[in-house]
């Protein structure tokens, strides 16, 4: 149903193009003959511009120039209805019920006149509806029907018929440009925010939110709108580039430092899209993309990626992704990318949550504390902040090597207990030795030490082995795929022997970890648990690799 708009116009308004049409100027209908045209031209020249009257007469009598006047007037409309429309224009009031039943061409001509009388004070939704109706009306013009209406009027007026639609095509092309100009001039007379919102609503309605093509007149109007808004969009794009550079510079200061700049970026981006949105929607309905919008969206997405990847600001990246998803939904080629980014951020958030949960669990696992000593007690503790011993705290990542073990005591062959010894090699500090008597303290501490430090040290060992390094423990040397053991033979070459892991077996004896050749008891090497660094660690890796049947130690952690 057509939206009815009543146009209130003051008496000082200038004449519309429809009122300046030769037919209207001379008070004629399309069915008046030559005699009536001459008569009315002479009569009207008495009280309006005589030159204008003579030109109007000439235009209506000449069949070729008459066609242009017919296309710009009300062909096929009865003289009574045409008179009503003319009177309404002169009285400065016109309503949609005067034209809504007209054929598309005369209806479009009346609506073009209404464009000249719109003040911009109407609701934006009414303006948008008017634009859509106008565009649909022009789209509905059929030149065969127009030709028929013109020729019927000419027959009554005694003028030669227009032979084919080819004769109408050229004048119709000019007429379409006049319609676009009328709409553009109407919008130019409005406030900027009203203009933008009216065009946006019109495009959204006309395309059904990208479900159909808009009428050609509306596409042409949006193209003209794009030209007019280009300086603003270019200036805002430059502003965004500057702000994005500032955001990246601020990011080193963390979330608090970068947030004000992100607020400004969001404001500028929203301003950009509020102006560019009708262009985006129109382009999308035509199977194209608004390149400037794509460039802006790409730069904003890159900012989010850099804030996360280079500065660890996941919340900022999430903010950019949500903002882009909200503002740039009309960029078809960008939708899949944004959806993928959103999934990635969701995954990162889940990973961060899982890591926090794992970190909390890890902190509980490594937590240990005990008092060591009888009279003068020293605090021994393990926590995420480090290892505490004798009033000093050593960060966990500062511990480079470890060794520990126990030595049983006895008097005259009677066991009297066990001395437990733990040593830590600290980067940038002296070696720390921890001597204990209580087995529970020793067991609790070494278990916490294993989870807090030794897992990291073993991973470091595997990384070094994978790079081709050789590691030394006691009397043997370890490579990723081989081990070198000494030979203990008196009457033969005693040089070290390099063996594959499949050629050796392992065991423990006398406080040592031993590796020997399967078929030769004279080929073996060992490392002391209590005296040699990281013996417990290399034993764990070797036994673990053997259990998996791995040919290399680095296969221990692989699937």
């Amino acid at each position: 149903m057509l939206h009815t708009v009543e146009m209130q116009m003051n008496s000082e308004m200038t004449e519309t193009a429809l009122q300046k049409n030769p037919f209207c100027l001379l008070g004629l209908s399309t069915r008046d003959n030559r005699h009536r045209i001459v008569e009315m031209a002479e009569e009207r020249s008495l009280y309006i511009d005589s030159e204008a009257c003579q030109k109007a007469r000439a235009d209506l009598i000449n069949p070729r120039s008459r066609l242009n006047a017919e296309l710009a007037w009300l062909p096929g409309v009865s003289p009574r209805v045409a008179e009503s429309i003319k009177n309404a224009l002169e009285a400065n009031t016109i309503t949609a019920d005067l034209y809504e039943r007209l054929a598309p061409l005369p209806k479009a001509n009346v609506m073009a006149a209404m464009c000249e009388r719109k003040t911009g004070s109407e609701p934006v939704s009414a303006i948008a509806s008017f634009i859509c109706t106008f565009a649909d009306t022009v789209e509905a013009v059929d030149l065969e029907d127009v030709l028929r209406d013109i020729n019927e009027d000419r027959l009554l007026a005694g003028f030669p018929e227009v032979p084919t639609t080819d004769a109408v095509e050229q004048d119709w092309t000019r007429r379409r440009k006049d319609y676009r100009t009328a709409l553009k001039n109407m919008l130019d007379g409005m406030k900027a925010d009203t203009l933008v919102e009216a065009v946006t609503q019109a495009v959204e309605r006309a395309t059904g939110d990208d479900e159909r093509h808009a009428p050609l007149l509306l596409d042409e109007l949006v193209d003209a709108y794009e030209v007019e808004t280009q300086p603003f969009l270019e200036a805002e794009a430059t502003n965004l580039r500057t702000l994005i550079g500032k955001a990246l510079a601020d990011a080193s200061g963390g979330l608090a430092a970068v947030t004000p700049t992100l607020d400004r970026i969001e404001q500028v981006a929203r301003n950009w899209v509020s102006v560019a949105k009708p262009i985006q929607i129109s382009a999308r309905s035509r199977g194209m993309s608004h390149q400037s919008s794509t460039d802006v969206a790409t730069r904003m997405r890159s900012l989010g990626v850099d804030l996360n990847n280079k500065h660890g600001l996941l919340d900022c990246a999430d903010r950019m992704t949500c903002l882009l998803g909200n503002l740039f939904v009309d960029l078809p080629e960008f939708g899949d990318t944004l959806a993928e980014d959103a999934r990635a951020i969701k995954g990162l958030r889940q990973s961060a949550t899982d890591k926090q949960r794992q970190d909390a669990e890890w902190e509980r696992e490594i937590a240990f504390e005990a008092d060591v000593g009888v009279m003068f007690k020293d605090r021994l503790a393990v926590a995420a902040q480090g290892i505490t011993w004798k009033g000093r705290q050593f960060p966990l990542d500062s511990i480079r090597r470890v060794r520990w073990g126990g030595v049983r005591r006895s008097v005259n062959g009677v066991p009297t207990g066990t001395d437990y010894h733990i040593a830590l090699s600290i980067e940038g500090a002296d070696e720390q030795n921890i001597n204990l008597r209580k087995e529970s303290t020793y067991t609790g501490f070494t278990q916490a030490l294993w989870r807090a430090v030794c897992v990291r040290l073993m991973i470091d060992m595997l990384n070094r082995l994978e790079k081709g390094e050789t590691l030394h423990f006691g009397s043997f040397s370890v490579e990723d795929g081989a081990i070198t053991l000494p030979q203990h033979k008196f009457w033969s070459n005693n040089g070290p022997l390099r063996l594959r892991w499949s050629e050796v077996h392992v065991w423990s004896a006398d406080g040592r970890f031993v590796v020997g050749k399967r078929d030769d008891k004279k080929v073996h090497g060992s490392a002391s648990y209590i005296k040699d660094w990281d013996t417990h660690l290399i034993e764990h890796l070797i036994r673990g690799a053997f259990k998996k049947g791995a040919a290399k130690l680095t296969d221990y952690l692989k699937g």
Side-chain angles (χ1 to χ4, degrees):
M1 181 176 178
L2 296 176
H3 181 81
T4 300
V5 181
E6 182 167 317
M7 316 291 294
Q8 296 294 338
M9 305 169 289
N10 62 59
S11 59
E12 296 180 356
M13 285 188 174
T14 59
E15 290 183 321
T16 65
L18 193 63
Q19 290 172 285
K20 296 176 183 178
N21 185 280
F23 287 104
C24 188
L25 184 67
L26 299 181
L28 298 168
S29 80
T30 52
R31 299 171 185 178
D32 288 322
N33 57 29
R34 284 182 174 83
H35 176 75
R36 180 63 175 165
I37 293 172
V38 172
E39 181 182 47
M40 290 303 295
E42 291 178 356
E43 180 182 325
R44 290 294 179 102
S45 65
L46 297 177
Y47 52 89
I48 63 174
D49 184 17
S50 60
E51 287 188 10
C53 291
Q54 294 307 311
K55 183 179 185 308
R57 183 189 68 178
D59 287 341
L60 296 182
I61 290 177
N62 183 291
R64 182 65 190 87
S65 59
R66 179 185 176 89
L67 179 59
N68 185 54
E70 289 167 327
L71 286 172
W73 182 237
L74 307 172
V77 176
S78 69
R80 180 183 59 80
V81 174
E83 184 69 16
S84 298
I85 293 172
K86 182 174 75 71
N87 291 338
L89 285 171
E90 291 175 353
N92 295 332
T93 60
I94 190 167
T95 56
D97 59 0
L98 286 175
Y99 65 80
E100 61 184 2
R101 292 188 178 89
L102 299 180
L105 177 61
K107 179 179 175 181
N109 290 336
V110 176
M111 296 190 78
M114 292 176 69
C115 289
E116 299 180 63
R117 294 291 171 83
K118 282 188 84 63
T119 63
S121 60
E122 299 84 358
V124 171
S125 59
I127 298 171
S129 179
F130 176 84
I131 293 172
C132 288
T133 301
F134 192 5
D136 286 336
T137 299
V138 175
E139 194 80 2
V141 172
D142 186 321
L143 294 186
E144 291 286 352
D145 294 340
V146 171
L147 182 65
R148 182 199 64 224
D149 290 340
I150 288 176
N151 283 336
E152 286 178 357
D153 288 343
R154 285 194 174 199
L155 182 63
L156 294 173
F159 284 91
E161 294 184 2
V162 179
T164 65
T165 56
D166 292 340
V168 181
E169 283 282 359
Q170 187 174 358
D171 285 340
W172 172 239
T173 300
R174 287 199 298 268
R175 191 72 197 128
R176 289 184 60 87
K177 291 180 181 178
D178 291 339
Y179 295 147
R180 184 185 64 194
T181 301
L183 279 175
K184 181 178 177 298
N185 290 341
M186 176 189 75
L187 292 169
D188 286 344
M190 299 176 182
K191 294 181 180 179
D193 56 345
T194 302
L195 184 158
V196 170
E197 185 60 26
V199 175
T200 301
Q201 287 191 24
V203 174
E204 288 175 337
R205 293 185 189 189
T207 61
D209 291 328
D210 193 38
E211 292 184 0
R212 57 180 178 269
H213 291 295
L216 179 58
L217 178 63
L218 191 53
D219 282 341
E220 293 173 344
L221 180 65
V222 173
D223 291 342
Y225 171 89
E226 181 175 5
V227 172
E228 293 289 335
T229 58
Q230 195 63 30
F232 169 83
L233 293 177
E234 289 180 353
E236 289 296 78
T238 300
N239 193 9
L240 271 173
R241 283 194 294 270
T242 301
L243 288 170
I244 287 171
K246 186 176 187 305
L248 291 173
D250 293 341
S252 58
L255 180 62
V258 78
T259 294
T261 306
L262 294 184
D263 291 342
R264 180 61 181 146
I265 287 174
E266 179 171 347
Q267 179 183 354
V268 174
R270 289 188 182 279
N271 289 342
W272 165 281
V273 172
S274 69
V275 174
K277 192 172 185 64
I279 307 172
Q280 296 171 0
I281 299 172
S282 177
R284 182 171 180 174
S285 72
R286 289 185 263 181
M288 301 184 298
S289 179
H290 184 219
Q291 189 58 48
S292 296
S293 291
T294 301
D295 293 343
V296 166
T298 300
R299 283 193 290 270
M300 290 176 63
R301 177 182 178 272
S302 296
L303 170 63
V305 171
D306 287 344
L307 289 175
N308 178 66
N309 293 351
K310 296 181 180 179
H311 302 281
L313 297 174
L314 180 59
D315 286 343
C316 295
D318 192 13
R319 176 179 179 177
M320 282 294 103
T321 299
C322 291
L323 181 63
L324 288 168
N326 179 258
L327 296 183
F328 292 96
V329 293
D330 296 303
L331 300 182
E333 77 287 0
F334 213 64
D336 292 343
T337 300
L338 290 179
E340 185 177 331
D341 287 349
R343 286 192 296 270
I345 287 175
K346 183 179 180 181
L348 289 172
R349 283 201 179 281
Q350 185 60 49
S351 296
T353 301
D354 293 344
K355 185 177 184 303
Q356 288 178 347
R357 189 181 299 112
Q358 292 168 359
D359 288 347
E361 182 180 350
W362 176 77
E363 289 183 13
R364 287 194 298 272
E365 289 178 355
I366 69 170
F368 172 84
E369 58 181 354
D371 290 325
V372 178
V374 180
M375 295 184 60
F376 303 100
K377 298 183 181 298
D378 291 309
R379 194 68 173 165
L380 178 63
V382 181
Q385 294 75 24
I387 292 177
T388 301
W389 174 241
K390 290 187 177 295
R392 299 175 65 185
Q393 187 178 79
F394 305 97
L396 298 180
D397 58 5
S398 70
I399 300 173
R400 294 303 180 210
R401 296 183 296 174
V402 295
R403 52 186 171 87
W404 65 83
V407 178
R408 292 188 177 88
R409 302 189 310 275
S410 64
V411 177
N412 297 323
V414 179
T416 59
T418 303
D419 291 330
Y420 299 101
H421 179 73
I422 303 167
L424 308 175
S425 176
I426 311 294
E427 183 179 25
D430 296 333
E431 178 182 313
Q432 296 297 307
N433 292 286
I434 304 169
N435 296 306
L436 306 171
R437 289 289 182 90
K438 292 178 65 174
E439 181 180 4
S440 60
T441 302
Y442 170 76
T443 301
F445 179 78
T446 52
Q447 287 178 346
L449 181 68
W450 184 268
R451 187 77 174 88
V453 174
C454 297
V455 171
R456 171 179 58 81
L457 293 179
M458 285 189 292
I459 292 174
D460 180 63
M461 283 182 186
L462 292 174
N463 289 335
R464 292 165 62 191
L465 289 171
E466 191 169 32
K467 293 177 182 178
E469 290 189 36
T470 299
L471 308 182
H472 304 279
F473 304 90
S475 63
F476 61 85
S477 299
V478 172
E479 302 169 50
D480 191 11
I483 184 169
T484 300
L485 301 174
Q487 298 187 68
H488 304 276
K489 299 178 181 180
F490 291 105
W491 308 109
S492 62
N493 181 14
N494 288 333
L497 188 63
R498 186 173 181 271
L499 303 169
R500 295 187 302 274
W501 288 112
S502 60
E503 298 179 89
V504 301
H505 63 136
V506 299
W507 67 94
S508 295
D510 300 325
R512 305 182 72 84
F513 171 60
V514 186
V515 183
K517 192 171 185 295
R518 288 183 181 277
D519 56 0
D520 191 340
K521 295 182 178 179
K522 298 297 184 179
V523 180
H524 59 81
S526 66
S528 169
Y529 292 114
I530 197 170
K531 294 181 180 180
D532 293 320
W533 294 109
D534 299 334
T535 300
H536 288 283
L537 278 59
I538 193 61
E539 178 186 22
H540 181 85
L541 292 177
I542 293 174
R543 288 186 184 275
F546 279 9
K547 188 174 181 179
K548 292 184 67 173
K552 295 181 179 181
L553 295 185
T554 52
D555 292 337
Y556 171 56
L557 294 182
K558 297 179 180 179

